Amino acid sequence: MTIPKSSPSSEITIEKTEHLKGIALLLLMFHHLFGVEYLEGWRAIVPGTEGMDYVIGASGKICIAMFLFCSGYGIYKSYISKETPRKHYVLQRLIKTLIPYWIVMVIAIIYLVCAGRFEPKNLVFNLFALIHSDDLLYVSFSWFIKLYVLLILLLPLIRLIERRFKKNALIDILIYVVIPYAITFICRGIIHEESFENIFSFVGSSVLFVLGWFPLFAVGMLFAKYNTYKKVFDFASKFPSALVIALSVLLIGNMLYLRFIFNTFVGDSVIYHFCMGDIVFEPIFICGFLLIMDNIKRKSRYVLTFIGKNSVFYWLLSGMFFLNTKELAFLITWPKITLLIYLWTMVLLTPVVFLTSFASDRFSKLLCKRL
């Protein structure tokens, strides 16, 4: 994330985006642990509150929208809005996205070889997480890599659109939100990310796949383009900090619950698959967290910042406990109680996250210097 540092609280700074990504990662972990039926045998720390843990876990999938928001905001500031963007920007973003993934994939391959379950024929699909199939992917939950790579490849086109239309909120909403969602909904029968039939169906599915998620990325872009959070902050600053924090906490809690109700109602339709409801929940949810950050005196300078900076490694490495390598789940489930499982998983992953992050930084800088 490359966002210019800024002192005013009304700006979404690098520090805030790191905190937002840290919060998103914590929600992602809770979602995978308790919001989907991947793990069994856990119980809540307070008996009888398992339902609440499930609701929070299920709605924790909003973390995807948060990651896309942070990316859209940062990329708009560092590339799309620039008159003369940094040379090889797109290629460098691809390198910084794929190197962390490939490092974790090597770890997964080593384990699968030792377990006698490595399938070399699936390597082509895995290099860019091209197929959203848990049977084919070496690293569980790595489907987001394909989405992010496609978004990066779209950046030159987005920049051309921005040069053509400049500032017009209605046109932006039409181009970046309404049209992608409309095309995705109309052509939803073509989407089949779980399998590969032929190159034409693969390309068609991939185009619709990125269009379905693009509006959530665009929200971050539009927040940067129209300085939206400053308007929210200026309005909230008229009220006492304690009141703003209390209302923001209530807002966040209600957004999680309403999201759960919404996705329960629409079920497994394409609307749910692409979390179309998040186009509403995402900006409200994020503004709630930003207002809390800007109204509390003590902020996390180390823990949440570290988690945010290394969220990609926590996300990818945590996949080793699920789906095609679920036999490793015993390493995190032995405490049995939700809160202890959650904390222990983060503690267990952190040393490996540190090492993989260190290796990734070295490889990425070496490759970027050669461009």
Side-chain angles (χ1 to χ4, degrees), residues 105-138:
M105 188 176 71
V106 168
I107 296 174
I109 288 174
I110 292 171
Y111 172 78
L112 290 171
V113 168
C114 294
R117 300 208 311 274
F118 175 61
E119 294 288 348
K121 64 182 180 181
N122 296 332
L123 183 60
V124 174
F125 294 120
N126 276 270
L127 282 175
F128 304 99
L130 296 178
I131 302 297
H132 186 179
S133 169
D134 298 323
D135 294 328
L136 298 179
L137 292 175
Y138 302 146

Side-chain angles (χ1 to χ4, degrees), residues 10-257:
S10 60
E11 297 293 330
I12 302 179
T13 61
I14 293 176
E15 180 186 27
K16 290 179 189 176
T17 55
E18 288 172 349
H19 285 180
L20 282 175
K21 287 193 293 182
I23 293 166
L25 186 279
L26 294 175
L27 286 169
L28 178 147
M29 296 295 292
F30 209 89
H31 172 66
H32 287 160
L33 288 169
F34 313 117
V36 192
E37 295 179 358
Y38 292 142
L39 300 181
E40 299 177 353
W42 54 267
R43 62 181 185 273
I45 193 168
V46 178
T49 61
E50 287 80 6
M52 184 177 69
D53 288 343
Y54 175 72
V55 169
I56 295 172
S59 292
K61 194 176 180 181
I62 198 173
C63 62
I64 301 173
M66 295 180 71
F67 283 126
L68 290 172
F69 176 94
C70 292
S71 296
Y73 189 95
I75 287 173
Y76 185 89
K77 289 284 190 179
S78 60
Y79 175 74
I80 297 170
S81 65
K82 297 290 186 182
E83 288 296 328
T84 54
R86 192 168 68 245
K87 191 177 180 181
H88 303 307
Y89 179 91
V90 171
L91 187 54
Q92 288 178 353
R93 294 291 301 199
L94 287 172
I95 289 171
K96 291 178 180 179
T97 299
L98 291 171
I99 292 297
Y101 169 57
W102 287 340
I103 288 175
V104 176
M105 188 176 71
V106 168
I107 296 174
I109 288 174
I110 292 171
Y111 172 78
L112 290 171
V113 168
C114 294
R117 300 208 311 274
F118 175 61
E119 294 288 348
K121 64 182 180 181
N122 296 332
L123 183 60
V124 174
F125 294 120
N126 276 270
L127 282 175
F128 304 99
L130 296 178
I131 302 297
H132 186 179
S133 169
D134 298 323
D135 294 328
L136 298 179
L137 292 175
Y138 302 146
V139 182
S140 300
F141 311 135
S142 57
W143 64 268
F144 188 82
I145 291 293
K146 175 182 176 178
L147 173 61
Y148 200 65
V149 166
L150 291 174
L151 287 171
I152 293 171
L153 293 176
L154 281 178
L155 293 183
L157 175 60
I158 297 170
R159 198 164 182 278
L160 285 175
I161 294 173
E162 285 295 299
R163 292 294 173 274
R164 171 67 177 81
F165 293 104
K166 301 297 181 180
K167 274 194 174 184
N168 187 312
L170 290 178
I171 290 177
D172 284 340
I173 292 172
L174 180 66
I175 292 174
Y176 295 138
V177 178
V178 177
I179 291 176
Y181 273 158
I183 294 173
T184 304
F185 186 77
I186 293 169
C187 304
R188 60 190 181 277
I190 301 173
I191 303 171
H192 47 81
E193 286 296 294
E194 296 81 9
S195 61
F196 178 87
E197 295 180 7
N198 55 62
I199 190 64
F200 299 106
S201 64
F202 170 75
V203 171
S205 179
S206 297
V207 169
L208 292 173
F209 173 63
V210 72
L211 283 178
W213 288 103
F214 179 78
L216 301 179
F217 175 85
V219 171
M221 288 171 39
L222 297 180
F223 259 63
K225 183 175 183 177
Y226 294 99
N227 209 5
T228 306
Y229 178 65
K230 183 180 186 304
K231 299 177 178 65
V232 175
F233 176 84
D234 289 344
F235 175 77
S237 63
K238 298 175 184 178
F239 303 95
S241 293
L243 179 61
V244 173
I245 293 171
L247 291 177
S248 295
V249 170
L250 286 174
L251 190 66
I252 290 167
N254 278 286
M255 286 301 102
L256 285 174
Y257 184 68

